Amino acid sequence: MSKISPVILILGSGANVGQHVARAFAEKGYKVALVSRSLKDENTAGQLNIPSDLSEPDTVVKVFSKVKALLGIPSVIVYNAGAASQNDESNPLALPLADFTRDLNINTVSAFVAAQQAVLGFGELPDSALKTFIYTGNILNTTTIAPLMSLGVGKSATAHMIQSAASAYKDRGFKFYYSDERKADGSAAYFDISGEAHGKFYAEIAEHKVQGPWHQTFVKGIGYTRFPTS
């Protein structure tokens, strides 16, 4: 009997982190489902492309249904989407409600729906499946950046959700991680984030047999590194 390939679903398949994560898991034999607003609906035997706007949380359930129907239930889900509307540093609460709501939908609400769907799917998978949910975060769950209030709100809220899920589902073998690339001194990677490092690191933590630290701060070329705020 031929071995069934596992499935990874990547929501937010940008050219840096998303594509490198897809490549890392494909090299391990995964079938890959990619989701972003700009994707064309062009598929191959090992890759499914799904155009979808994650500012609309209701679309997430449809994405999971399509992946299940065409590839199978994903055992690894990576939520890599993000949105940041810049605000006036001296008047952050002047940010238009429409911008705040859009960012929150992408950074948190759609991630929540994805985590809900992940749990439903994990419950149908065999005990041998990895059952891992990874959220691409950053340092904003521990600090502030003045012009990026809405992004910080979303990252902080989702970090709380991930921490709660990691504790609640660990005995069922469901693993939840908030990833955060840092520099070696613990400062934020900001625009120097490495897609290749994310791909390698995500492939490693996905294979954890049990829940590790929910807040996965890591350094390129080193891996998981605990800092005072993590």
Side-chain angles (χ1 to χ4, degrees):
M1 181 181 295
S2 60
K3 182 179 179 181
I4 298 176
S5 297
V7 177
I8 180 172
L9 169 58
I10 303 170
L11 298 116
S13 55
N16 189 17
V17 173
Q19 292 300 320
H20 279 90
V21 171
R23 189 175 304 126
F25 279 84
E27 290 174 353
K28 288 182 171 289
Y30 279 73
K31 291 182 288 186
V32 178
L34 301 175
V35 179
S36 80
R37 188 174 55 183
S38 60
L39 278 176
K40 294 183 179 179
D41 195 0
E42 299 172 351
N43 307 315
T44 66
Q47 181 172 310
L48 176 64
N49 293 339
I50 304 176
S52 187
D53 186 351
L54 295 173
S55 68
E56 301 175 9
D58 289 345
T59 65
V60 176
V61 174
K62 298 176 183 176
V63 165
F64 273 80
S65 296
K66 187 170 185 177
V67 173
K68 180 179 179 180
L70 298 180
L71 295 183
I73 299 172
S75 59
V76 178
I77 293 93
V78 172
Y79 194 92
N80 185 57
S85 297
Q86 290 202 10
N87 56 264
D88 182 340
E89 294 185 24
S90 65
N91 190 16
L93 298 183
L95 183 71
L97 177 59
D99 293 346
F100 183 85
T101 301
R102 174 185 173 275
D103 290 357
L104 189 64
N105 280 345
I106 294 172
N107 295 323
T108 299
V109 181
S110 286
F112 174 76
V113 179
Q116 284 186 319
Q117 292 298 305
V119 167
L120 292 174
F122 291 167
E124 297 182 43
L125 290 170
D127 292 341
S128 59
L130 294 175
K131 305 172 187 174
T132 306
F133 185 99
I134 303 170
Y135 179 88
T136 302
N138 58 29
I139 203 170
L140 283 177
N141 65 310
T142 66
T143 190
T144 61
I145 298 177
L148 298 177
M149 179 193 67
S150 69
L151 180 61
V153 168
K155 296 298 185 184
S156 298
T158 309
H160 187 96
M161 179 191 77
I162 294 294
Q163 184 178 15
S164 297
S167 176
Y169 295 103
K170 63 182 179 181
D171 291 340
R172 289 197 240 174
F174 304 172
K175 304 179 294 295
F176 288 83
Y177 296 113
Y178 178 99
S179 80
D180 172 7
E181 185 181 356
R182 302 282 186 89
K183 296 179 180 178
D185 63 0
S187 61
Y190 293 123
F191 295 110
D192 293 328
I193 61 170
S194 167
E196 184 177 4
H198 277 78
K200 180 179 179 182
F201 186 64
Y202 285 14
E204 290 175 356
I205 63 175
E207 294 183 348
H208 289 173
K209 300 301 182 184
V210 296
Q211 176 73 50
W214 69 270
H215 191 183
Q216 288 283 320
T217 43
F218 73 99
V219 176
K220 179 181 178 180
I222 297 175
Y224 173 70
T225 305
R226 181 176 173 81
F227 295 104
T229 55
S230 62

